[in-house]
């Protein structure tokens, strides 16, 4: 269950936010189902309209949350904006080159920017939750990151070894894998350093997980195994999860830390989970 939202926001306003959240989720589900049924060209248009509308709503939402929350949520929104620009530019590049999914492309610069903005948002959240971060959660984040790196390496190694892929594609894939890993390390650090179990945090974390999967899918698309429509659906799912995380009322607790016994425990359940994941991850 969500942690109680202890703010000065009137209950009527919170009720409005909950209703808008439910409406956004309903629209998101409708769009995702439509993408699975529509022709690729029509689906791309629907996905672009949904992404841009979500971006505008997210920017307004970030501005309305107040000074403390404005910076991290605005960085998340700008990361989404950069990702949308990347998609538009890649479509332009595809039209110019005649390649269904050009990679690498000049559009990738905006994808790099999206990663950096998202990592920066997590960094702001960690710093404001824990101005004096201890070494223990940092070590946990590194250990968890190494485990994720092993999984990631296992997934991208066949792509890197495929002689059909150009050196540029291999280098770009390796670079994006490193950025994805850094985002995961930052997210793990935010988890073990103390966060409240809210719906908003879970939705934002789910969006990060889908982005990790989308990176793997992108490799399969450039290899010709999958059609590019798969990336349209996965990107829309990321937008939907990120938008839902920002629109849920519990986003107001994004910077809050656990209190009481949970705060002072050196070995929390989350840290046990992260370390267990690292232990069971096989080396490759």
């Amino acid at each position: 269950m969500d942690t109680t939202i202890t703010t000065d926001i009137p209950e009527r306003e919170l009720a409005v936010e909950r209703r808008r959240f439910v409406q956004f989720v309903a629209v998101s589900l409708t769009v995702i189902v439509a993408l699975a049924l529509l022709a690729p060209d029509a689906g791309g248009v629907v996905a672009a309209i949904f992404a841009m509308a979500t971006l505008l709503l997210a920017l307004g939402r970030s501005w309305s949350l107040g000074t403390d929350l404005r910076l991290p949520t605005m960085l998340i929104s700008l990361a989404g904006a950069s990702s949308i620009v990347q998609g538009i530019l890649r479509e332009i590049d595809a039209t110019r080159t005649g390649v269904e999914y050009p990679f690498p492309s000049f559009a990738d610069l905006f994808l790099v920017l999206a990663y950096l903005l998202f990592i920066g948002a997590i960094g702001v959240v960690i710093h404001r939750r824990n101005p004096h971060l201890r070494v223990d959660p940092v070590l946990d984040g590194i250990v968890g990151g190494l485990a994720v790196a092993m999984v990631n390496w296992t997934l991208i190694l066949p792509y890197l070894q495929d002689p059909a892929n150009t050196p540029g594609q291999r280098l770009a894939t390796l670079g994006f894998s490193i950025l994805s890993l850094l985002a995961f390390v930052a997210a793990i650090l935010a988890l073990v350093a103390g966060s409240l179990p809210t719906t908003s945090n879970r939705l934002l974390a789910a969006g990060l997980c889908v982005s990790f999967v989308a990176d793997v899918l992108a490799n399969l698309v450039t290899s010709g195994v999958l059609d590019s429509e798969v990336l349209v659906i996965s990107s829309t799912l990321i937008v939907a999860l990120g938008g839902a995380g920002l629109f849920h009322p519990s986003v107001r607790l994004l910077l809050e830390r656990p209190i009481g016994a949970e705060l002072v425990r050196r070995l929390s359940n989350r840290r046990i989970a992260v370390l267990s994941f690292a232990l069971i991850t096989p080396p490759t």
Side-chain angles (χ1 to χ4, degrees), residues 129-212:
R129 282 181 187 166
N130 303 272
H132 306 289
L133 192 63
R134 300 193 310 271
V135 68
D136 291 341
V138 174
L139 292 176
D140 291 344
I142 293 174
V143 171
L146 290 175
V148 174
M150 292 180 191
V151 175
N152 193 29
W153 181 253
T154 302
L155 295 173
I156 70 168
L157 187 59
Y159 184 88
L160 297 178
Q161 292 177 330
D162 189 349
N165 299 318
T166 66
Q169 289 175 328
R170 299 177 194 176
L171 182 61
T173 297
L174 185 61
F176 282 119
S177 296
I178 292 173
L179 287 173
S180 179
L181 174 62
L182 291 176
F184 254 89
V185 170
I188 292 172
L189 181 57
L191 177 69
V192 298
S195 63
L196 294 178
T198 65
T199 298
S200 176
N201 283 337
R202 295 185 184 109
L203 289 168
L204 293 173
L208 179 61
C209 291
V210 175
S211 70
F212 181 82

Side-chain angles (χ1 to χ4, degrees), residues 20-183:
R20 289 175 178 172
F21 167 77
V22 171
Q23 291 171 345
F24 177 79
V25 171
V27 171
S28 299
L29 292 175
T30 302
V31 169
I32 292 172
V33 171
L35 292 180
L37 300 176
L38 291 173
D41 291 342
V45 173
V46 171
I49 294 174
F50 173 72
M52 288 186 286
T54 301
L55 170 62
L56 294 175
L57 292 173
L59 289 172
R61 172 68 165 163
S62 299
W63 188 261
S64 69
L65 286 173
T67 305
D68 291 340
L69 288 167
R70 187 171 297 156
L71 178 58
T73 56
M74 190 67 73
L75 287 174
I76 293 173
S77 299
L78 291 175
S82 184
S83 181
I84 293 171
V85 171
Q86 171 267 149
I88 295 173
L89 292 179
R90 196 179 301 278
E91 283 298 318
I92 295 174
D93 200 16
T95 302
R96 181 182 63 87
T97 61
V99 179
E100 182 181 11
Y101 188 82
F103 179 80
S105 165
F106 60 84
D108 291 322
L109 294 175
F110 287 89
L111 190 55
V112 171
L113 179 59
Y115 268 110
L116 295 178
L117 287 168
F118 190 76
I119 293 171
I122 298 177
V124 171
V125 170
I126 293 173
H127 176 70
R128 293 189 176 179
R129 282 181 187 166
N130 303 272
H132 306 289
L133 192 63
R134 300 193 310 271
V135 68
D136 291 341
V138 174
L139 292 176
D140 291 344
I142 293 174
V143 171
L146 290 175
V148 174
M150 292 180 191
V151 175
N152 193 29
W153 181 253
T154 302
L155 295 173
I156 70 168
L157 187 59
Y159 184 88
L160 297 178
Q161 292 177 330
D162 189 349
N165 299 318
T166 66
Q169 289 175 328
R170 299 177 194 176
L171 182 61
T173 297
L174 185 61
F176 282 119
S177 296
I178 292 173
L179 287 173
S180 179
L181 174 62
L182 291 176

